[in-house]
Structures are given as C-alpha cells and as structure tokens.
Amino acid sequence: MSMHAALLYCVPPIVGVAVGYLLGGRLRQLAGLRLRALWLLWPAAAGQLLALRLLTGVPAAVAVVAAFGAASACLAVNLRDSRPVAVTGSVVLAGAALNAVAMVLNGGMPYSPAAAARAGGTAVADTVKNAAAQPGTRLLPLGDVIAVPPLHAVVSVGDLLITVGIAALVATSMHRHTPAPVASRPDESPASPALVAELGGR
Amino acid sequence: MTLTLFWRRVAVVAFTLASLAIVLYTLGAPYELGG
C-alpha cells in the first residue's frame, strides 16, 4: 500500500477528530465509545489484503465478499446503540450498499479512466476489486468517478458517504458520549420530586 | 488520572481510530493509483 493510499484511509478519522475539536469535543471522550464486535474489522481487513495482494480468481472474490460481510456485520450490530452511532452507522452502510450495487452489477468496482487521469499518479493493474469502466459498464455514476488528485485516487459516491459517516461518528463521539437509551413507554415522564414525596407519603 | 490509566485511554482511542480507518478500506472501493 502506497503512502497516498494509507493517507486516503486515514482521512475519515482525521477529519472526524478535526471536526470534533471544532465542535468543542475532546479526544479523550472517544475512549467512552463502545462499539460491539469492533474486532471483526481486523480479520476483514486481513482478508481483503490477501484478496488484493496474494489471491486471484474465485478465492480472491470470495475473500472480498467475506471481508465486506464482516465489516458490514460489525456496523449492523451497533445500529441499535445510541442515536449518533445509529445515524452515522446507517450513513456508512448506505455508502457500502451503493458500492456493493456497483460491484455486483459489474463484477468489481468500475473506475473512470478519465477521472484516473485527472487524479494524477501512475496507472496500476486492475484488481479483483477495481477495473476500468467499459462501454457496457452499468451504473457508472456509482463507480469510482470522483478524482482526488492530492491522494492519487478515484473514489465513488459510496466512498464519500462512508467517509462522512465515519468522520461524523468520531466527531459526535468526541463531543459527548451518551449510553444506549433504556426502553420506556412514550407516555412515561420523569416524576417530579414533589410527586415522589406525595406518593411516598401514602 | 494515573499514568497507566492515561496510556490505557490512549491505546483505546488509537485502536478505535485505527479500526474506523479500516472501514473505508473494507467497505469502500477507491481506485488507488501508484506514485
């Protein structure tokens, strides 16, 4: 992985930390963020690394699908937690879904050669995950069509949604940490001290 | 806050941020050019 690529994947958390500070948050609050099954992301990343660097053909495709599934599952099991996690996690999953649609329809994520030329850098061989768009490519607008010259990359709308979702998750978690809400009936309201005293006296 | 607790928090925050960086790597599909 090149330095530019490493920076690309660090953008979401870095932007999140910056926005979090601008909103008055503190990085230490992030220690209070409890995400379930966070460990699932690491074997997912390892699987994808294998798929992109060592495997080819069907095994590589299976590894990519498994990695995608594991990372999605990690996010999905956290959607019932606090509202910020649910909202930002949903945004990330929506971006992942858009990417999945483009990849399933085309057997991989198509990228625009014109956008790649605008992004700078040197062209690299297609992988199991990325392939140059052809005349028959379906839903190319969901593919990698947005050039990011500073990072020598081409990203998709789905990638942008994932970036926004992760950055928002980090920023909101720095701002305040709210535990998962306790289920309660809508008609319930906090009892006033006076009411508690009155009931206690009966 | 003790020094141990401080470093534990640093480790938790670093692990969380690194894990969240992985999300774009696994669920995203950017085309990375060389150079």
Side-chain angles (χ1 to χ4, degrees), chain A residues 40-183:
Chain A
L40 265 178
L41 293 170
W42 294 88
Q48 174 146 305
L49 195 63
L50 277 177
L52 295 178
R53 305 293 174 194
L54 295 177
L55 303 176
T56 57
V58 174
V62 169
V64 167
V65 171
F68 204 92
S72 299
C74 170
L75 290 170
V77 298
N78 287 286
L79 290 184
R80 293 180 63 186
D81 287 343
S82 67
R83 186 174 174 81
V85 173
V87 172
T88 56
S90 298
V91 172
V92 173
L93 283 176
L98 292 182
N99 283 344
V101 167
M103 286 192 283
V104 168
L105 285 179
N106 297 289
M109 180 60 101
Y111 66 84
S112 159
R118 287 195 303 273
T122 55
V124 295
D126 293 348
T127 67
V128 66
K129 206 170 179 182
N130 299 92
Q134 305 294 331
T137 296
R138 287 181 277 185
L139 287 181
L140 181 57
L142 292 185
D144 291 333
V145 294
I146 305 166
V148 187
L151 297 176
H152 293 178
V154 187
V155 302
S156 66
V157 174
D159 295 336
L160 289 183
L161 278 179
I162 293 170
T163 299
V164 168
I166 294 299
L169 173 60
V170 171
T172 54
S173 301
M174 286 172 61
H175 193 58
R176 61 189 174 86
H177 176 65
T178 52
V182 177

